[in-house]
Amino acid sequence: MALGIGAYASSSDEVITIVDSAGREVTVPYPVKSVVVLWSNPAKEMRALGAVDRIVGMDQSTKDEVDKGTLPELANVPVVGTQEEPNYEKIAELKPDVVICLSAGYPPEPDEVQKKLEPFGIKVVGLDFYRTEVWFDEIRTLGRMLGKEAEAEEYMSFFRSYYDLINRTLATIPDSDRKTVYFEGAKKYLTYGGAGYGSGIPNMIRAAGGKDLYPERSELAFEVDPEDVARRNPDVIFKGTTLGWNAESEEQFKAIRDEIMSRPELANTKAVKNGEVYVISFDVTGGAGKKFGPVFLAKVLYPDKFKDLDPIEFYREYLKRFQGLEYRGIYLYPNP
């Protein structure tokens, strides 16, 4: 079988061999019954498939989500270090079937983790869940591992219905009319590139029909010269913020936007002159939240083309159907 993200049955009924996002063939028990996650992304996706109870260990970033209130089911699950520095002894003590970690770009990578856990018979799978271009493949693989194939199909169908609508509409917008986007991180004049797998931000922008302001840059994240941003003259500016789930009013969002609108170096950009400056939560544009990004960004970039597209209702339904959570917080300001 040609390598690619996916899964196929092995000769035994008790295991399957999957191909992870690092292109590695990994034979795992079927179904996988216990998992240690080394980032919060797989935890949220496992809950979407009805398998969050199979998580027996987690890294600190997942614990941060527990403390934030977005993964309450994992309150009593032990922490096994950080994504960057897993505690392999603790992982071994938990005896999970599988450890899920990031596939590339964020060490330690799967082969290194596997080398440490090989003596204990623990399998390591690299799945990211932050890259829109392979997200469907990864969910299908996760569903196969967990024996949750039907749930994975239902989950993907929900997103596919929105993505298909976006793609059909974008097909009517010529390249010359596509808007350029400067996406600034939480740090002033920090933006993102597409190195290898990259941060996922540039592909998220492209999936929404936008043009990344720095398509030639390959770094994961980098600082830019304000004058260069002005010269490139973005049509739209997005400012990422950690505010979101716990935000209670728009005042903090407004203050962030006002700061950008008042920067003298950006005063003559089309984005500022036309008021096309938006503050957007990393909950819907960062990490596992990047799968929501195309819906939010497409609405902002082409509101006349997406009159019937409501990102907030989309996110509300996602939270209720696939996370068992009631909608709360603020994710975009101003809302087009």
Side-chain angles (χ1 to χ4, degrees):
M1 175 181 175
L3 283 181
I5 304 170
Y8 56 91
S10 72
S11 58
S12 168
D13 291 335
E14 298 176 351
V15 298
I16 59 169
T17 298
I18 63 95
V19 181
D20 70 5
S21 294
R24 302 160 60 250
E25 289 191 351
V26 187
T27 299
V28 300
Y30 180 82
V32 168
K33 293 181 179 178
S34 58
V35 177
V36 166
V37 295
L38 293 182
W39 205 19
S40 61
N41 290 9
K44 293 177 180 178
E45 303 299 21
M46 286 179 65
R47 180 164 64 185
L49 302 189
V52 71
D53 59 332
R54 301 189 201 181
I55 296 173
V56 297
M58 61 184 172
D59 77 318
Q60 184 58 48
S61 76
T62 310
K63 177 62 164 59
D64 292 343
E65 291 291 326
V66 175
D67 295 342
K68 185 177 165 182
T70 59
L71 282 168
E73 302 96 327
L74 302 183
N76 297 318
V77 171
V79 176
V80 293
T82 65
Q83 177 263 315
E84 298 88 352
E85 296 183 355
N87 186 319
Y88 295 108
E89 290 183 0
K90 282 189 176 181
I91 294 173
E93 289 171 5
L94 295 172
K95 300 179 181 178
D97 290 337
V98 167
V99 170
I100 300 179
C101 66
L102 287 155
S103 73
Y106 300 87
E109 296 189 4
D111 282 342
E112 182 179 347
V113 180
Q114 185 65 77
K115 186 176 180 180
K116 297 283 189 179
L117 296 177
E118 195 74 51
F120 307 102
I122 298 169
K123 299 302 180 115
V124 176
V125 175
L127 294 172
D128 302 316
F129 304 113
Y130 73 87
R131 294 185 289 136
T132 55
E133 67 271 26
V134 296
W135 183 81
F136 289 99
D137 292 327
E138 291 186 321
I139 292 298
R140 188 173 292 109
T141 297
L142 183 66
R144 290 280 285 119
M145 287 169 53
L146 298 171
K148 293 282 188 177
E149 294 91 341
E151 290 84 351
E153 287 301 324
E154 179 188 357
Y155 186 42
M156 290 187 292
S157 179
F158 172 72
F159 278 87
R160 195 175 288 115
S161 65
Y162 282 90
Y163 280 25
D164 287 349
L165 168 65
I166 290 170
N167 290 334
R168 285 195 305 270
T169 304
L170 292 179
T172 69
I173 304 174
D175 185 74
S176 58
D177 292 341
R178 300 288 179 99
K179 295 183 179 179
T180 55
V181 174
Y182 169 58
F183 193 109
E184 185 171 277
K187 184 178 177 182
K188 196 172 180 179
Y189 290 116
L190 178 86
T191 190
Y192 304 95
Y197 292 162
S199 67
I201 294 284
N203 273 333
M204 182 182 68
I205 292 170
R206 287 189 278 272
K211 294 180 178 180
D212 177 37
L213 199 63
Y214 287 89
E216 79 283 4
R217 297 294 292 263
S218 61
E219 302 94 325
L220 177 66
F222 56 95
E223 291 187 32
V224 292
D225 182 343
E227 293 182 359
D228 188 52
V229 175
R231 279 193 300 271
R232 294 180 185 234
N233 197 13
D235 294 302
V236 179
I237 293 174
F238 287 99
K239 174 71 173 181
T241 178
T242 55
L243 297 169
W245 175 257
N246 289 327
E248 296 180 355
S249 82
E250 292 184 341
E251 288 306 309
Q252 289 171 290
F253 282 76
K254 183 178 183 301
I256 295 170
R257 182 177 187 268
D258 288 347
E259 187 276 325
I260 297 173
M261 293 288 288
S262 66
R263 292 181 193 175
E265 61 272 26
L266 300 180
N268 291 319
T269 60
K270 286 180 283 187
V272 170
K273 287 196 293 186
N274 296 328
E276 295 289 330
V277 175
Y278 299 86
V279 181
I280 192 163
S281 172
F282 283 124
D283 287 348
V284 294
T285 56
K290 289 191 181 75
K291 61 181 175 283
F292 311 116
V295 179
F296 279 81
L297 269 60
K299 178 69 174 185
V300 170
L301 294 176
Y302 310 107
D304 293 340
K305 296 283 188 178
F306 291 104
K307 290 179 180 178
D308 296 329
L309 183 64
D310 188 336
I312 300 303
E313 284 306 310
F314 156 71
Y315 193 53
R316 188 190 304 276
E317 184 178 358
Y318 160 81
L319 288 173
K320 191 172 185 65
R321 281 182 63 184
F322 299 107
Q323 297 296 312
L325 299 171
E326 292 299 323
Y327 180 89
R328 56 176 283 187
I330 299 165
Y331 302 93
L332 176 66
Y333 179 86
N335 190 332

